[in-house]
Amino acid sequence: MSLKESINLKRLPKHVAIIMDGNGRWAMQRGKDRNYGHKKGVDAVREIIERAAELGIRYLTLYAFSTENWNRPWEEVEALMELMVNSLNNETKKLVDNNIILKVIGDIDRLSAEVRESLDYTLERTSKCSGMTLIVALSYSSRWEMVKAVRDISYKIKEGKIDPGNIDDKIFENYLTTRDIPDPELLIRTSGELRISNFLLWQIAYSELYFTETLWPDFGKEELYKALIEYQKRERRFGKTSEQVHEKEN
Ligand code: FPP
């Protein structure tokens, strides 16, 4: 049986989030510069989007650029932004043809006008699609997102629109950039690093974590299938006992 055939399509995670790491190391191992690794990373992005949509995954979130990535050498930041603009321009039609909706989370105001224009174009073109939602985290970090949520809630309190005593998980979630998006059941990180790096800290409270040594440019469909198969072997208990979980299933 192939890896793909081993996946139980009835038990797919609705939402998969990925920390795409290792482009730089992949390039260095080949004696190339880091930006060559990022270019190859885009090929992997394309492949994973197509395969995830084909399987029937409803939401795919990709960590493309973190708040902390602004501190990289300026030439690398520029190259990544250019890659983003080119990818958006080249892939918009394909996204629409595949019925994929694009969403972006992050501090968009920090992006250049050129990047924002490309984003707006693709967001608009894909807004009527109804298939998989592709969420690109750009200039994103979880702490930025949570601090912003606290700030926005505080303004509402000041305006008398929220009673502090009523604040609960649901209200807080409504102020996150991921409102209306279910939490990921599976978080994948490539390249062997065992960290979360300020990504979706609130949303991954109960996510299954999957780490692989594979560097992002080498993360192809078989790697995605392996992660999904591993996910399906796990028992998700949400704080309950194993017996309680199985009782509910029966
Ligand atoms: C991590 O590798 C990767 C990034 C910071 C950028 C990821 C971006 C892409 C794959 C391209 C654009 C994405 C889209 C959605 C079009 P690293 O540079 O940290 O690698 P290293 O840890 O080996 O140095």
Side-chain angles (χ1 to χ4, degrees):
M1 200 167 22
S2 71
L3 274 177
K4 191 178 177 191
E5 286 162 353
S6 308
I7 301 170
N8 179 351
L9 296 177
K10 293 200 187 91
R11 289 190 52 239
L12 279 178
K14 211 188 252 175
H15 183 174
V16 177
I18 309 183
I19 302 176
M20 310 178 289
D21 196 11
N23 293 347
R25 273 164 287 164
W26 187 93
M28 300 303 221
Q29 285 170 4
R30 286 159 181 79
K32 308 270 191 185
D33 68 19
R34 299 177 51 80
N35 294 335
Y36 180 73
H38 295 316
K39 274 196 197 126
K40 288 291 173 185
V42 174
D43 295 339
V45 166
R46 198 178 295 117
E47 167 83 349
I48 294 308
I49 294 172
E50 273 179 38
R51 299 302 170 176
E54 177 188 274
L55 281 171
I57 286 170
R58 302 298 305 164
Y59 298 87
L60 176 69
T61 300
L62 301 176
Y63 203 5
F65 194 87
S66 70
T67 307
E68 291 73 24
N69 286 154
W70 287 113
N71 299 323
R72 289 198 174 191
W74 189 242
E75 309 78 68
E76 185 170 341
V77 172
E78 279 202 315
L80 274 168
M81 291 299 153
E82 196 183 316
L83 212 50
M84 218 72 75
V85 172
N86 290 342
S87 306
L88 287 165
N89 294 345
N90 297 336
E91 306 294 334
T92 301
K93 187 177 176 309
K94 210 161 171 198
L95 289 175
V96 174
D97 290 346
N98 284 294
N99 202 17
I100 294 171
I101 312 158
L102 178 73
K103 283 197 190 299
V104 177
I105 56 171
D107 191 359
I108 301 306
D109 293 345
R110 285 186 77 175
L111 301 170
S112 70
E114 193 191 7
V115 179
R116 273 185 278 134
E117 266 169 37
S118 295
L119 275 178
D120 286 345
Y121 173 74
T122 313
L123 289 168
E124 164 61 26
R125 285 284 315 276
T126 63
S127 63
K128 306 249 161 21
C129 294
S130 56
M132 185 176 82
T133 302
L134 168 67
I135 301 130
V136 177
L138 252 186
S139 188
Y140 172 89
S141 79
S142 214
R143 288 185 177 179
W144 163 81
E145 175 182 48
M146 288 199 262
V147 168
K148 183 179 180 311
V150 171
R151 201 183 300 124
D152 291 346
I153 291 172
S154 306
Y155 288 132
K156 294 283 177 196
I157 293 174
K158 219 171 148 191
E159 291 167 20
K161 291 189 174 143
I162 292 182
D163 175 353
N166 289 339
I167 295 174
D168 58 7
D169 288 20
K170 285 279 155 281
I171 291 191
F172 188 71
E173 276 171 359
N174 267 331
Y175 285 83
L176 295 175
T177 59
T178 50
R179 70 187 147 267
D180 304 329
I181 299 169
D183 289 342
E185 293 96 332
L186 174 63
L187 172 72
I188 299 172
R189 180 170 190 151
T190 61
S191 93
E193 307 290 352
L194 306 178
R195 286 189 292 277
I196 303 299
S197 299
N198 217 347
F199 189 46
L200 302 177
L201 297 177
W202 172 276
Q203 298 85 342
I204 61 165
Y206 286 102
S207 304
E208 295 297 328
L209 308 183
Y210 178 87
F211 297 100
T212 169
E213 294 284 327
T214 304
L215 303 176
W216 177 250
D218 289 330
F219 192 89
K221 59 180 179 183
E222 300 291 312
E223 297 289 329
L224 175 68
Y225 300 158
K226 270 192 236 167
L228 293 170
I229 292 166
E230 166 68 25
Y231 163 81
Q232 294 189 330
K233 286 187 196 148
R234 309 241 184 118
E235 180 184 69
R236 307 191 71 222
R237 292 206 293 268
F238 302 98
K240 294 185 178 167
T241 67
S242 186
E243 290 73 23
Q244 284 175 307
V245 172
H246 292 297
E247 233 168 61
K248 214 181 146 201
E249 277 174 6
N250 295 330

